[in-house]
Amino acid sequence: MGSRPWVKLGGLVAVLVAAAFASRLTPLGDYMTVSGVLEVREMLRSSVWAPLLFVVIYAAATAVALPGSALTIAGGAIFGLWFGALLNTLGANIGASAAFGLARWLGRDGAERIGGRRLAGLDRAMAERGFIGLLILRLIPLFPFNALNVGSGLTAMRWRDYALATVLGILPGTMVYTFFADALVEGTAHASRDAYVRLWIAAALFLLLIAVPLIARRLGYVPGGGREAT
């Protein structure tokens, strides 16, 4: 295979670095923040192409490992809870699969050269428990979404397991973030008691989202805990 794996791995690094620099050094970065997206909220709402455009932007940003949390919040603020959650879910999953494919195509061969036997052991683990392992990591919002996308692509994990774990794993977090954004917009616009109650509910759901997987791991109901699941 010669130097081809290294050239492809270098290409992957170049793509990710270029995207990071583009978001920081060009106006693109201004639109990757909540405030930036909200500035064009009314324009997006008035366009029939707004939902498709939003999904394309979300998927493209995720494919090159740009932060998507701001876009998730913006989706809820622009489109509301249910439609926003649908668009956020579509954009995130399409982008995550694209990032996985990009990492697999450009980085897998180079990772094999670098990882050697250690990567072979990880590959076996991913083949046996990749789905449940990734699902748990997806359910805990403390683990970087983009790092999991690229990292999974560098292993021999099956795309089917990756895609299913991603769909199921990010859904609770997507709903909570979208609900929070929708509640925040309502609270800002109306400053009513009901809007503030929704904000408190969203904050409580976010804390629960973090706590439940950690508690389950502590009790041993997920891999790495103190006892086996029954």
Side-chain angles (χ1 to χ4, degrees), residues 131-144 148 169 217:
F131 168 76
I132 188 63
L134 181 60
L135 178 61
I136 292 166
L137 295 178
R138 292 294 198 196
L139 287 170
I140 303 175
L142 302 177
F143 289 92
L148 291 175
R217 185 179 180 88

Side-chain angles (χ1 to χ4, degrees), residues 2 7 38 46 53 63 84 86 91 94 96 105 109 120 137 140 143 152 154 200 209 213:
V7 173
L38 293 184
S46 63
L53 179 62
L86 174 62
I94 293 171
W105 177 47
D109 293 340
L137 295 178
I140 303 175
F143 289 92
S152 298
L154 295 178
W200 280 108
L209 185 70

Side-chain angles (χ1 to χ4, degrees), residues 1 4 28 31 33 35-36 49 59 77 99 112 115 118 124 129 139 163 181-182 185 209 224 227:
M1 296 178 67
R4 187 178 178 185
L28 173 64
Y31 295 100
T33 63
S35 60
W49 298 104
E112 286 184 314
R118 287 174 295 181
R124 288 192 296 271
R129 308 183 73 173
L139 287 170
D182 183 46
V185 170
L209 185 70
R227 63 184 182 187

Side-chain angles (χ1 to χ4, degrees), residues 114-200:
I114 296 172
R117 293 181 179 178
R118 287 174 295 181
L119 184 62
L122 178 61
D123 284 343
R124 288 192 296 271
M126 295 298 284
E128 295 174 3
R129 308 183 73 173
F131 168 76
I132 188 63
L134 181 60
L135 178 61
I136 292 166
L137 295 178
R138 292 294 198 196
L139 287 170
I140 303 175
L142 302 177
F143 289 92
F145 179 70
N146 290 327
L148 291 175
N149 296 340
V150 175
S152 298
L154 295 178
T155 71
M157 184 177 189
R158 292 186 295 268
W159 176 82
R160 179 187 61 191
D161 294 340
Y162 168 84
L164 183 57
T166 300
V167 169
L168 298 177
I170 71 172
L171 187 58
T174 298
M175 292 300 300
V176 170
Y177 275 107
T178 308
F179 177 57
F180 177 80
D182 183 46
L184 184 62
V185 170
E186 288 297 314
T188 302
H190 304 292
S192 64
R193 181 176 180 275
D194 289 344
Y196 289 127
V197 169
R198 290 182 67 191
L199 277 174
W200 280 108

Side-chain angles (χ1 to χ4, degrees), residues 10-59:
L12 175 62
V13 173
V15 168
L16 299 181
V17 171
F21 272 101
S23 69
R24 291 178 177 273
L25 302 179
T26 70
L28 173 64
D30 297 335
Y31 295 100
M32 295 302 297
T33 63
V34 177
S35 60
V37 178
L38 293 184
E39 285 182 6
V40 295
R41 181 176 62 180
E42 295 306 320
M43 180 182 69
L44 288 174
R45 280 180 167 174
S46 63
S47 172
V48 69
W49 298 104
L52 177 60
L53 179 62
F54 179 80
V55 171
V56 169
I57 292 173
Y58 199 137

